[in-house]
């Protein structure tokens, strides 16, 4: 099994590179400095119909495969990590709807997410219940045909910007994980928001506390049955973590590209520093780690597309997310080092890359939690085959069998929107930054 991109995916990647360079990257530094929402970048993504990639065709989306969605996340993050997570958060918020909600709820919300009319957020973490989800205190009490929500959620991406909030609250505190229930809550139902956090990275993506004070939620907006919330949350994170890995790869690739270009122009000891072997080896190691992380992310995404036939997704998603985010942190730190004192200033983007990379090791499950998942899988042989033998088989088969990820027919229809960017790039002679390819 190999993870070379098929023709459509390569074309889409090339379109995304030109689009990001023109419409997204130019705004990244300013929004980072001002800590403001990248509205023009989001609007450009909507004009490109990118939100539709993450929604099934039956609900007005393009129904793109997960590898294509990972390409989108990576290329957006290469230009602006905040814009990347702004696109990803609505998918995260809607995954419980796609997989567990009633048909009425799906028909009501998913088409509007696909069109970019509304955005969604995912409300799981609390001030004292991050990794320890069972300790959540947000309560939902049944009252006739409604549930009444009280409590708050912390570290919520797009707090105050999103129109809907997928909220996990306890309906039976004594049951811990078995007492958690999931709800879809509209902002207009009385949801309140505290001030946004002043963050180190992803500063253009608003993060804040979401507060529920006697917020009434119709029972029709309960997702799944009472007590199924924890399983829904874990099912969702398994399917979203690989795209956080893709975001991390985009940040790392941006650092590799920028450092490589900088080294060709910066001179020391009478020659470009790109000719100094020690620094060339640093850059090579950065590229190697980034490419390895990309392959692992594609592996996890392909497993989602295949329906997780071996029950390996939890392991692969955790491995992809943790390895890619650790890689991004390492690669961006090395990029700062390669630029020396200039890398430590805000006049150059590598310090922003490093700040943005850090959160990928923390959100959607810290890398320590990912290692717990991985270790549990490695110590258990009953759920699926030995992960080491699986990875060995993957390494061998990648040399023998080409594997093309299917892309929906509706995705091809998006060329009417994307084609002008291809033509503009060809006409101007603009090319994407060089990078290592998976062949």
């Amino acid at each position: 099994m190999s993870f070379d991109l098929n023709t459509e995916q390569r074309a889409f990647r090339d379109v995304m590179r030109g689009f990001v360079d023109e419409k997204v990257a130019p705004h990244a530094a300013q929004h980072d400095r001002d800590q403001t929402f990248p509205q023009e970048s989001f609007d450009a993504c909507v004009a490109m119909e990118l939100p539709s990639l993450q929604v099934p065709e039956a609900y007005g989306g393009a129904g793109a495969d997960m590898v294509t969605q990972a390409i989108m996340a990576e290329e957006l993050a290469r230009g602006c990590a905040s814009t990347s997570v702004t696109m990803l958060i609505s998918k995260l918020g809607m995954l419980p709807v796609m997989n567990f909600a009633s048909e009425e709820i799906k028909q009501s919300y998913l088409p509007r997410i696909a069109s970019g009319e509304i955005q969604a957020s995912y409300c799981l973490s609390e001030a004292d219940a991050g990794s320890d989800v069972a300790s959540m205190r947000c309560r939902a009490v049944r009252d006739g045909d409604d549930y009444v929500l009280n409590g708050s959620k912390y570290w919520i991406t797009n707090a105050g910007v999103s129109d809907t909030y997928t909220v996990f609250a306890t309906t039976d505190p004594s049951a811990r994980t078995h007492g958690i229930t999931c709800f879809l809550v509209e902002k207009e139902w009385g949801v309140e928001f505290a001030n946004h956090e002043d963050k180190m990275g992803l500063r253009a993506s608003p993060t804040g506390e979401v507060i529920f004070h006697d917020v009434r939620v119709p029972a029709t907006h309960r997702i799944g049955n009472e007590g199924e919330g924890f399983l829904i949350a874990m099912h969702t994170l398994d399917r979203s973590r690989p795209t956080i890995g893709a975001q991390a790869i985009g940040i790392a690739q941006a650092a590799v590209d920028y450092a490589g270009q900088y080294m060709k122009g910066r001179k020391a000891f009478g020659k470009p520093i790109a000719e100094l072997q020690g620094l060339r080896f640093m850059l090579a190691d950065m590229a190697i780690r980034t490419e390895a992380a990309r392959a692992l992310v594609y592996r996890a995404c392909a497993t989602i597309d295949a329906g997780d036939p071996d029950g390996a997704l939890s392991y692969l998603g955790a491995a992809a997310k943790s390895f890619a985010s650790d890689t991004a942190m390492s690669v961006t730190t090395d990029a700062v080092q390669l630029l020396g004192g200039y890398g430590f200033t805000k006049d150059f983007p590598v310090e922003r890359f490093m700040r943005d990379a850090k959160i990928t090791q923390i959100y959607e499950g810290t890398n320590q939690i990912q290692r717990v998942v991985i270790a549990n899988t490695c110590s258990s042989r009953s759920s699926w085959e030995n992960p080491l033998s699986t990875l060995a088989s993957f390494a061998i088969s990648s040399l023998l069998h080409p594997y093309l990820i299917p892309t929906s027919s509706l995705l091809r229809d998006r060329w009417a929107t994307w084609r002008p960017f291809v033509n503009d790039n060809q006409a101007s002679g603009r090319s994407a930054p060089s990078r290592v390819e998976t062949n």
Side-chain angles (χ1 to χ4, degrees), residues 295-317:
L296 187 52
V297 166
Y298 286 178
R299 170 76 168 95
C301 288
T303 297
I304 297 173
D305 288 329
D308 191 19
D310 299 321
L313 181 56
S314 292
Y315 168 83
L316 289 170

Side-chain angles (χ1 to χ4, degrees), residues 28-235:
Q30 186 64 49
H31 285 297
D32 175 75
R33 283 192 294 270
D34 297 343
Q35 197 166 232
T36 51
F37 183 80
Q39 188 65 53
E40 62 272 78
S41 297
F42 176 76
D43 290 343
C45 290
V46 172
M48 275 281 281
E49 301 182 10
L50 296 184
S52 72
L53 299 185
Q54 306 175 113
V55 176
E57 293 183 52
Y59 304 101
D65 58 84
M66 281 301 299
V67 174
T68 296
Q69 294 181 46
I71 293 169
M72 178 193 73
E74 176 185 345
E75 293 300 330
L76 286 173
R78 186 178 59 82
C80 175
S82 293
T83 299
S84 179
V85 76
T86 295
M87 294 300 300
L88 291 175
I89 190 59
S90 286
K91 170 68 178 292
L92 177 61
M94 284 292 113
L95 270 172
V97 172
M98 295 178 198
N99 292 311
F100 299 98
S102 67
E103 187 63 24
E104 179 184 359
I105 294 297
K106 293 177 183 179
Q107 292 286 357
S108 178
Y109 293 94
L110 290 177
R112 291 188 286 160
I113 290 289
S115 69
E117 176 188 345
I118 63 173
Q119 298 181 61
S121 286
Y122 187 81
C123 300
L124 180 63
S125 295
E126 298 182 6
D128 297 315
S131 299
D132 184 10
V133 176
S135 296
M136 71 169 57
R137 297 181 180 178
C138 187
R139 288 292 312 274
V141 177
R142 185 72 182 252
D143 182 22
D145 292 333
D146 297 334
Y147 286 85
V148 179
L149 264 60
N150 280 282
S152 66
K153 295 292 178 176
Y154 247 71
W155 317 118
I156 305 305
T157 300
N158 255 22
V161 174
S162 290
D163 305 276
T164 71
Y165 296 82
T166 301
V167 182
F168 295 85
T170 178
T171 47
D172 182 2
S174 64
R176 292 183 59 77
T177 57
H178 297 289
I180 296 172
T181 304
C182 182
F183 302 90
L184 185 65
V185 183
E186 292 190 14
K187 177 168 64 174
E188 302 305 321
W189 293 347
V191 181
E192 302 173 12
F193 307 95
N195 291 334
H196 288 151
E197 301 292 339
D198 187 4
K199 305 194 304 290
M200 176 175 75
L202 287 191
R203 290 174 55 81
S205 171
T207 302
E209 182 182 12
V210 178
I211 302 168
F212 307 96
H213 180 68
D214 290 336
V215 173
R216 300 190 73 87
V217 180
T220 55
H221 281 60
R222 186 188 68 210
I223 300 175
N225 296 319
E226 282 195 14
E228 293 182 347
F230 181 79
L231 295 177
I232 292 172
M234 296 304 105
H235 180 278

